[in-house]
Each structure stands twice: as C-alpha cells, then as structure tokens.
Amino acid sequence: LHLPGGRRRSASTRVTLFALHQSTDENEQDSAQLAVACRKKIIIYHWLKPGLPQEVKEISQYDVPKAMVFFGLGYSNNLFLAFKGKYCQLDIMKERNKELICTTGKQLEGTMLRLDADTMAISKDE
C-alpha cells in the first residue's frame, strides 16, 4: 500500500477490510474511491483518471472497524463504519466521525449493507 508522504506498508498482514465506490458525474467523468481498513486506520485512495491515485488520505480511528460502506447523497464523501457496539459516519473531507447508533449491554459485532442509492441495512451479529 502507498501512503501519504511516499511511505509504504505491507498489505498482506494488516488489511482487515475494504470498500469501493465508483461514479460518473454529469460531465461523464469517471472517478473511484477505495477505503482500506488497516487496523485502527482508514486509508482513502481517490482516482479521477487511470494510474496512481491522485489523492491519498490516512484517517485514524479509535478501534478496528468491523464493517464499512460508502453511503449518502453522492456518497463519495461519506463512509459508514461499524465497530463493536457503535456505528459512525466518517466525513472524509473533514476527517471526523459522527456517532449514529451506540448499543448498550453486550458488545456485538456490527455489519452493514447498502441496498440501493438511499437505503442501508445495519445489523448486529449475536
């Protein structure tokens, strides 16, 4: 994996999950974003044309995410994360989490699935 500042990280042992978002804007411009969870960090790669990513961001998290999906209006700037007992919306531009749902009691594994452009299902694995 290529990180900001030209650093490299071995992907074989540290990547826990990933999410991909592809889109075409009104000018027929294709773009792609790849979010990679490496332990307690989310690395966002953004491509506007083929080749190396034009932008790479590394955003620290308080815990290792159990699930993640791009979602929301235009959903290229929103990444939803599931942790044990907590769901958050990560604003990629501001690099900030917004807590959505926090479960109490037993800390269950969370999972998410985007059903269509404006619907997402969340669940807890018991």
Side-chain angles (χ1 to χ4, degrees):
L1 294 174
H2 295 275
L3 301 175
R7 298 176 298 151
R8 289 179 176 250
R9 175 178 285 169
S10 171
S12 62
T13 59
R14 295 193 170 119
V15 173
T16 54
L17 64 127
F18 67 91
L20 177 66
H21 169 65
Q22 294 177 288
S23 65
T24 303
D25 66 14
E26 62 276 350
N27 298 325
E28 302 291 319
Q29 177 72 32
D30 292 330
S31 69
Q33 283 184 296
L34 175 66
V36 179
C38 295
R39 296 187 184 174
K40 293 183 180 182
K41 294 186 185 223
I42 306 291
I43 303 169
I44 309 288
Y45 297 90
H46 189 188
W47 289 269
L48 294 174
K49 56 186 174 186
L52 293 175
Q54 284 71 45
E55 184 179 356
V56 179
K57 287 187 178 189
E58 187 174 325
I59 305 169
S60 295
Q61 297 297 307
Y62 78 97
D63 198 3
V64 178
K66 303 301 180 193
M68 63 182 176
V69 64
F70 284 97
F71 188 76
L73 193 58
Y75 50 90
S76 61
N77 290 325
N78 293 307
L79 186 64
F80 284 72
L81 305 168
F83 299 98
K84 278 193 172 191
K86 185 185 261 188
Y87 293 87
C88 296
Q89 175 187 354
L90 172 61
D91 185 319
I92 295 169
M93 300 303 280
K94 295 178 183 175
E95 299 184 13
R96 269 191 246 152
N97 283 355
K98 176 183 176 185
E99 190 173 299
L100 300 174
I101 301 170
C102 188
T103 60
T104 58
K106 189 176 175 184
Q107 298 293 310
L108 303 172
E109 299 284 330
T111 190
M112 296 178 285
L113 174 66
R114 185 179 51 203
L115 300 175
D116 58 33
D118 60 354
T119 309
M120 180 172 57
I122 61 173
S123 71
K124 298 179 289 184
D125 184 19
E126 295 191 45

